Amino acid sequence: MSSDISPNTIVPGRLSGLGADILAARILIVDDMAIMRKMIAMSLTKAGFSNLIEADDGDIALEMIRDQRPDIVILDLNMPRMSGYEVCKTLRRDKATADIPILIQSAAETAEERVEVFAVGATDFVSKPINQPELLARVCMHLENRLLINSLESYAARVRQELDLARQMQEEVLPTAEEISAMELGGRLAISHRYEASSELGGDLWGGWEIDDHRIGLFALDVVGHGVASALNTFRIHATMTRLSDYFDRPALLLEKLNAGLAGYMSLGHFATILYGVLDARDGSFRYAGGGAPSPIVFDETGACFIDSSGYPVGAIKSATYDERVIEIGVNQSLLLYSDVMIESKDKDGAILGQDGFRDWVQAEAGQSGDALISALHTRLVERTGTSVLDDDLTLVHVRRGAK
Amino acid sequence: MEYRIDESAGAATVTFQGDITFSENVTFRAMLKELGEMKPSSCVFDLSNVGLVDSAGLGMFLIAKEHADNGGFKLSVTGAQGHVASMLKLTKLSDLLDE
C-alpha cells in the first residue's frame, strides 16, 4: 500500500493519515434525499476523498455500479423505486459485484431490521442521523480491508502461477517419449511409467540413458520434503548427475561422485534417496547402487522379491561410499521402481500399506502388460487412500526384459 | 507427532508418539531447542510408538544428530519397529544413530 500521507485526515482512531490508494477510492452514495447525499459527500470530501458518485434510487445505483464499479457503496434502505435490500441482494447474486463492500445507512433501529440488513449481504451498518466521524471510520476500515484482501488474493494467485510453472518445469526434466523409446534398445526392453506431481511441489524424479546398444542407466530419486526448496534440490541433483557421464556405467562410483558434488550445497536435513543401476538387456544383469530409495521389486507371474537398495541418501553425509550389487533379471521378468508414497499410503484407519503390502499388490497384478500393471497399482492407491489428490509425488517405473 | 522429554541425571529420553513427517518440522525443531537448553550428556529417541517416519523425518534425525554433535551429547534411537526400523536401515541412518 502507498505510504503517501494525507495531511487533512479527520478520521477518528487513526495514528497516521490515509494512503493515497484509499483516498483515490470511488465511493457511490445512494440516497433519494439530495440533502443526505450532500451531507455524506461533504464529510467524505473533508476527509480527502474526491472520487465520489451519487445515485438517487436503487435502480440508478445498480446501473452506475455496472458502468463505473465503485470501491464501496453507501446505501440508503428506503427509496421509492428500489429498496436498499433489493440492491444488496442483486449485487451479492452477481459474482462480479459480490465482494463490493456495502455500508447501509438507515433509521431502521429494530433488532429484526438490523438482522435483515446483514442477511441480504450488507457489510456494515450506520444509523441515521449520521454521525460523520463514525461514517468515515467505517468507510475507511472497509476500503482498507478490501484493499488488503485484493492484494492478498493477487499475491496468492501469483504464487499459484509460479508453483504451477515450477511443477511444469519439473515435469519437463522427466524423460521424453523419444528418450524412453531409445532406452528400450530396439524392443529389448519395454518401459512403462507414471509420474504424478503432488498438490504441493514435490521432489520425485526418474530418468535414464542409453549407455550402448545393450545397456541402459536408470535412476529414480526422491528429494526430501515438499515445496520450492525440494523442487530446486531436484534440479540441482539432476544437473549434477548429468555432468557425471563418465561414471554412467559404474553405479556405486556415480553415487559417490554425486554425493560429493552435492555435499556442502544441500542444507542440513535435505538429501535425496536414490537408486541408480545399469541394466544389461543381453544378459539380464542389473548392476546397481542404492541410496535409501524404496527397494525395487523384481517379479514375474510366479513371484516377486525385493532387491536391497540400502545406502546413504545422497547429499546427507560427506564422503559416503556406496556398495555395488548385481542381480539378474530373467527374460520376461520385470523390474519395478516406485516412490515411497506407495508404501506409506494410509487407508481410512490410518494403517500404512508397508513394503510387503505393496509387494502383494504387485504380485496380484503381475500377469498383465506394464501399462496395465501401473494403472492397476495407481487405482489401488486411489482406492486405499480414498483420494486421487496425492500429498507426495508418485513415481512408478516398470521395465520388462523381453526375449529379443 | 507428540513428544515428551524426560531427564534423569543428565540422560534425556524423548518419547515420540505418532508420525514423524514433513509436516512435523516445526514441532521437531521446537523439541530440539528444548532439548538443547537442557544440556544433557546423552539423549535417546524412543520410537516405540512411532508408526511412520518419512524421508523428511529422517532428515530431522540428521539435524538432531548435528545438534548432538555440536552440543557435545550422544544421541541414539531405540524401539524402532516395522516401517520405521526398515527406513532407518534402508538409509543406513541406523549406523549413524547407534540404534
Side-chain angles (χ1 to χ4, degrees), chain A residues 65-78:
Chain A
I65 290 167
R66 248 194 315 273
D67 297 342
Q68 17 181 353
R69 185 192 160 94
D71 296 299
I72 188 168
V73 180
I74 301 173
L75 183 63
D76 185 24
L77 277 184
N78 299 312

Side-chain angles (χ1 to χ4, degrees), chain A residues 239-292:
Chain A
T240 310
M241 195 156 52
T242 48
R243 276 198 301 271
L244 295 170
S245 55
D246 288 355
Y247 307 99
F248 279 178
D249 62 346
R250 304 173 71 188
L253 204 54
L254 179 79
L255 292 199
E256 192 181 313
K257 297 286 179 192
L258 178 61
N259 182 65
L262 295 170
Y265 292 106
M266 305 276 275
S267 49
L268 185 63
H270 286 246
F271 54 73
T273 59
I274 189 168
L275 181 120
Y276 178 75
V278 176
L279 177 58
D280 187 326
R282 216 158 46 186
D283 65 11
S285 67
F286 184 57
R287 227 151 30 82
Y288 70 97

Side-chain angles (χ1 to χ4, degrees), chain A residues 27-337:
Chain A
I27 303 176
L28 171 62
I29 304 162
V30 190
D31 202 303
D32 56 326
M33 290 166 68
I35 178 86
M36 283 303 298
R37 295 199 301 273
K38 196 170 170 196
M39 198 193 87
I40 293 170
M42 261 174 58
S43 105
L44 291 169
T45 308
K46 245 196 282 176
F49 290 97
S50 55
N51 194 356
L52 309 177
I53 49 179
E54 298 180 17
D56 65 2
D57 209 320
D59 48 355
I60 309 283
L62 286 181
E63 256 174 55
M64 293 182 78
I65 290 167
R66 248 194 315 273
D67 297 342
Q68 17 181 353
R69 185 192 160 94
D71 296 299
I72 188 168
V73 180
I74 301 173
L75 183 63
D76 185 24
L77 277 184
N78 299 312
M79 291 174 288
R81 291 194 302 275
M82 183 188 272
S83 75
Y85 294 115
E86 210 44 55
V87 175
C88 271
K89 281 188 211 160
T90 311
L91 292 180
R92 292 309 184 229
R93 265 200 305 268
D94 184 354
K95 218 179 153 204
T97 55
D99 61 354
I100 299 178
I102 304 172
L103 179 56
I104 297 286
Q105 42 116 359
S106 165
E109 276 307 318
T110 70
E112 289 76 17
E113 280 167 316
R114 282 170 175 262
V115 170
E116 178 63 13
V117 162
F118 288 108
V120 295
T123 314
D124 203 356
F125 183 94
V126 285
S127 300
K128 278 178 177 173
I130 284 177
N131 173 345
Q132 294 194 22
E134 182 192 349
L135 175 79
L136 274 179
R138 290 185 189 272
V139 165
C140 292
M141 174 181 79
H142 293 301
L143 284 173
E144 282 175 337
N145 283 352
R146 179 60 9 222
L147 266 176
L148 277 174
I149 290 168
N150 286 348
S151 84
L152 279 177
E153 279 172 351
S154 66
Y155 181 73
R158 205 190 89 198
V159 170
R160 251 194 317 276
Q161 270 175 10
E162 298 207 347
L163 288 179
D164 283 345
L165 184 63
R167 193 172 297 119
Q168 201 185 318
M169 287 172 67
Q170 207 169 351
E171 290 184 17
E172 284 165 5
V173 190
L174 293 166
T176 61
E178 292 75 40
E179 286 165 342
I180 291 169
S181 164
M183 284 164 65
E184 291 181 321
L185 302 175
R188 287 178 155 176
L189 302 171
I191 300 178
S192 306
H193 59 99
R194 184 172 189 127
Y195 169 86
E196 229 170 89
S198 68
S199 47
E200 306 163 42
L201 272 183
D204 271 20
L205 186 68
W206 77 275
W209 30 73
E210 195 182 347
I211 292 176
D212 50 35
D213 67 350
H214 62 283
R215 291 183 306 163
I216 60 164
L218 187 65
F219 73 88
L221 64 87
D222 180 2
V223 177
V224 163
H226 309 271
V228 176
S230 137
L232 287 175
N233 277 330
T234 310
F235 284 110
R236 173 182 275 160
I237 293 174
H238 182 257
T240 310
M241 195 156 52
T242 48
R243 276 198 301 271
L244 295 170
S245 55
D246 288 355
Y247 307 99
F248 279 178
D249 62 346
R250 304 173 71 188
L253 204 54
L254 179 79
L255 292 199
E256 192 181 313
K257 297 286 179 192
L258 178 61
N259 182 65
L262 295 170
Y265 292 106
M266 305 276 275
S267 49
L268 185 63
H270 286 246
F271 54 73
T273 59
I274 189 168
L275 181 120
Y276 178 75
V278 176
L279 177 58
D280 187 326
R282 216 158 46 186
D283 65 11
S285 67
F286 184 57
R287 227 151 30 82
Y288 70 97
S295 301
I297 298 176
V298 175
F299 68 98
D300 59 18
E301 279 178 72
T302 63
C305 64
F306 291 110
I307 64 173
D308 182 1
S309 58
S310 64
Y312 291 118
V314 290
I317 295 145
K318 280 175 199 158
S319 70
T321 58
Y322 296 85
D323 299 329
E324 202 154 288
R325 306 180 176 104
V326 189
I327 53 141
E328 197 194 315
I329 296 170
V331 169
N332 291 326
Q333 280 194 328
S334 299
L335 172 72
L336 182 71
L337 310 182

